[in-house]
């Protein structure tokens, strides 16, 4: 696990030589970033590193967008459309449990989702393209705070999709749900909307043996939580996918006391835009109805974070075509990669057509198969070179594809 990745012909035979030769560099950049994980909107060391590299390669760029974001613009030597490549930069508040020479130097913080690799891949793509001939313009968007509170929306507000106007956008996530040598790509919904709710039920406390004088907030809450399960089961089209999860419940102080109030919180996920606003209304209806029937009152707070991530069908077809020319694994390119996880890349895809895809990065033989957000997450860095090749071919392909 400690050695720099060696070139595995089985995985990189379709990767052009200069990109294969870049792999040790990609790995070093990734490890430099891995040792210096930073949380959302605090990615100053990460931004400095990107700025230093882009300056060294004389690639024009602007720093400080949406606090720590960076946009670089690389013009090709032939006219063509503008393709944006997006890489998220932030890490997670997790204590790394890996014992590797490049483990996190920042206590309690860790690149446990692979965003260090995303930055390395985008940098490698910028470097390679700066040394070669390509059509059109590529705009590199280094985005802060994907893990929260979200850097995509403020970057769009800051105008990163204009000057020059972005015609389409691509992005990838290193993905330990897929083995190295595979790519997950599909048109339409890839990832889900992310919404959350918080509710407090106010009853009337009292003695556990004298319930007739109380309004038991725990009994009301238990009925509400059970009833919420019927939203997906009975209200949503069975052909669609959705999740309502109550992940937190707080109530009560003693076995013989009826709780005055109870609180619960949860998350909602769905793929179809048509359910925007639906869950907020339906969840509150359930809460209000059951509270009324028991004489309780409630407070309800609902937050909408990320919309569903929807890939454009033409851009997904382009990426699929590119991926099929790059990966050699018998598993190859798969559309079986939908997840109810969320991603704020979704905001970019609401504005311009594009494709977000998963790049397989697990290698169980090397012990690199822990899931994302796990304290022992790590990935096979061979995927870094595949990522650069996929982006470079997407740039080349997009120029002819969009004509
Ligand atoms: Ni991630």
């Amino acid at each position: 696990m400690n050695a720099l990745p060696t070139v595995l012909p089985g995985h990189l035979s379709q990767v052009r030589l200069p990109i294969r030769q870049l792999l040790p560099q990609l790995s070093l950049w990734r490890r430099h970033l891995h040792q210096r994980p930073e949380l959302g909107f605090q990615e100053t060391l990460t931004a400095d590193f990107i700025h230093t590299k882009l300056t060294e390669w004389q690639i024009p760029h602007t720093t400080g967008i949406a606090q720590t974001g960076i946009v670089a613009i690389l013009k090709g030597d032939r006219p063509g459309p503008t393709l944006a490549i997006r890489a998220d930069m932030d890490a997670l508040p997790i204590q790394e449990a890996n014992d590797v020479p490049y483990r996190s130097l920042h206590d309690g913080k860790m690149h446990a989702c692979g965003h260090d690799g995303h930055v390395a891949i985008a940098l490698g793509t910028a470097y390679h393209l700066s040394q070669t001939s390509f059509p059109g313009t590529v705009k590199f968007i280094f985005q802060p705070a994907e893990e929260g509170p979200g850097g995509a929306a403020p970057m769009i507000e800051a105008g990163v999709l204009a000057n020059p106007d972005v015609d389409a956008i691509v992005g990838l996530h290193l993905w330990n749900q897929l083995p190295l040598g595979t790519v997950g790509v599909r048109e339409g919904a890839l990832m889900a909307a992310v919404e959350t709710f918080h509710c407090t039920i106010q009853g009337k406390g009292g003695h556990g043996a004298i319930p007739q004088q109380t309004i038991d907030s725990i009994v009301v809450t238990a009925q509400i939580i059970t009833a919420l399960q019927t939203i997906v089961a009975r209200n949503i089209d069975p052909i669609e996918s959705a999740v309502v999860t109550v992940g937190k419940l707080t109530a009560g102080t003693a076995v013989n006391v009826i709780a005055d109030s109870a609180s619960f919180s949860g998350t909602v996920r769905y793929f179809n835009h048509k359910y925007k606003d639906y869950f907020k209304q339906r969840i509150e209806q359930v809460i209000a109805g059951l509270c009324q029937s028991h004489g309780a009152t409630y407070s309800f707070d609902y937050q909408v974070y990320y919309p569903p991530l929807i890939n454009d069908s033409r851009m997904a077809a382009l990426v699929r075509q590119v991926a099929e020319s790059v990966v050699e694994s018998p598993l190859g390119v798969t559309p079986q990669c939908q997840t109810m996880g969320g991603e704020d890349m979704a905001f970019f895809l609401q504005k311009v057509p594009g494709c977000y895809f998963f790049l397989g990065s697990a290698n169980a033989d090397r012990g690199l198969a822990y899931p994302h957000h796990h304290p022992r997450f790590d990935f096979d860095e061979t995927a870094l070179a595949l990522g650069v090749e996929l982006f470079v071919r997407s740039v080349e392909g997009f120029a002819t594809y969009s004509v």
Side-chain angles (χ1 to χ4, degrees):
M1 202 199 291
N2 299 348
L4 287 173
T6 48
V7 174
L8 305 171
H11 289 299
L12 295 180
S13 62
Q14 301 306 312
V15 173
R16 65 199 78 186
L17 186 61
I19 295 175
R20 260 188 278 168
Q21 289 172 335
L22 199 57
L23 182 55
Q25 278 299 312
L26 294 167
S27 175
L28 286 173
W29 299 338
R30 179 259 165 166
R31 292 180 182 200
H32 177 92
L33 295 166
H34 190 85
Q35 288 189 290
R36 296 161 183 83
E38 298 169 297
L39 304 183
F41 295 124
Q42 297 167 18
E43 305 95 333
T44 50
L45 296 173
T46 308
D48 283 348
F49 182 77
I50 296 166
H51 166 66
T52 303
K53 290 294 168 197
L54 294 171
T55 304
E56 190 184 313
W57 306 330
Q58 299 181 322
I59 297 174
H61 59 281
T62 308
T63 59
I65 301 175
Q67 300 182 48
T68 46
I70 295 180
V71 170
I73 295 173
L74 192 57
K75 288 187 191 307
D77 54 358
R78 284 166 279 153
T82 299
L83 182 69
I85 291 174
R86 175 271 204 172
D88 43 8
M89 305 157 67
D90 57 322
L92 286 154
I94 293 175
Q95 180 68 39
E96 176 155 16
N98 287 317
D99 184 19
V100 290
Y102 52 92
R103 79 191 295 268
S104 171
L105 299 172
H106 296 175
D107 245 14
K109 295 173 195 169
M110 177 191 176
H111 268 294
C113 200
H115 301 187
D116 47 350
H118 302 170
V119 172
I121 290 170
L123 282 174
T125 306
Y127 173 75
H128 177 79
L129 288 173
S130 74
Q131 304 294 307
T132 56
S133 161
F134 69 94
T137 299
V138 182
K139 189 181 271 193
F140 294 91
I141 298 174
F142 295 94
Q143 181 217 298
E146 187 282 323
E147 301 287 0
M155 284 199 96
I156 293 167
E157 276 161 37
V160 300
L161 294 176
N163 297 319
D165 285 349
V166 168
D167 295 303
I169 188 163
V170 290
L172 66 75
H173 207 302
L174 291 160
W175 207 234
N176 270 13
Q177 306 295 329
L178 290 172
L180 178 70
T182 60
V183 172
V185 57
R186 59 177 294 131
E187 65 175 274
L190 181 80
M191 300 181 78
V194 180
E195 303 178 351
T196 65
F197 55 90
H198 304 278
C199 180
T200 297
I201 304 301
Q202 185 61 52
K204 191 175 156 199
H207 198 295
I210 315 174
Q212 72 276 19
Q213 293 178 354
T214 73
I215 296 170
D216 189 340
S217 64
I218 289 181
V219 170
V220 179
T221 300
Q223 290 183 15
I224 289 170
I225 291 172
T226 304
L228 291 179
Q229 304 311 308
T230 65
I231 297 176
V232 172
R234 301 289 85 175
N235 301 139
I236 299 299
D237 180 345
I239 305 300
E240 305 276 358
S241 298
V243 172
V244 175
T245 291
V246 174
K248 189 176 173 190
L249 170 62
T250 316
T253 53
V255 291
N256 58 353
V257 174
I258 286 176
D260 193 48
S261 69
S263 299
F264 60 95
S265 312
T267 187
V268 168
R269 309 294 169 106
Y270 58 88
F271 286 132
N272 194 323
H273 277 304
K274 77 179 180 188
Y275 292 121
K276 183 177 179 294
D277 302 327
Y278 177 79
F279 284 92
K280 179 183 179 192
Q281 288 168 10
R282 186 74 190 108
I283 289 170
E284 186 163 10
Q285 268 176 359
V286 169
I287 293 168
L290 283 162
C291 279
Q292 197 197 11
S293 75
H294 289 281
T297 56
Y298 69 91
S299 63
F300 181 63
D301 177 52
Y302 198 90
Q303 296 287 330
V304 174
Y305 288 98
Y306 299 163
L309 186 151
I310 311 290
N311 280 336
D312 174 72
S313 57
R314 292 191 73 228
M315 288 303 293
L318 168 69
V319 170
R320 186 167 57 243
Q321 200 179 319
V322 160
E324 280 166 355
S325 71
V326 172
V327 301
E328 288 212 311
S329 154
L331 290 166
V333 180
T334 174
Q336 307 301 323
C337 56
Q338 263 183 320
T339 163
M340 298 306 274
E343 241 293 342
D344 72 348
M345 176 75 179
F347 287 112
F348 289 114
L349 294 168
Q350 281 187 328
K351 298 286 180 191
V352 290
C355 179
Y356 192 64
F357 60 98
F358 294 124
L359 173 56
S361 54
N363 188 337
D365 293 344
R366 296 180 60 206
L368 303 169
Y370 285 92
H372 295 256
H373 296 205
H374 189 283
R376 295 196 65 189
F377 174 81
D378 200 353
F379 61 87
D380 192 318
E381 291 171 328
T382 312
L384 299 172
L386 287 168
V388 173
E389 184 70 38
L390 288 163
F391 276 156
V392 169
R393 286 197 201 203
S394 296
V395 169
E396 293 164 347
F398 183 58
T400 50
Y401 202 73
S402 62
V403 169

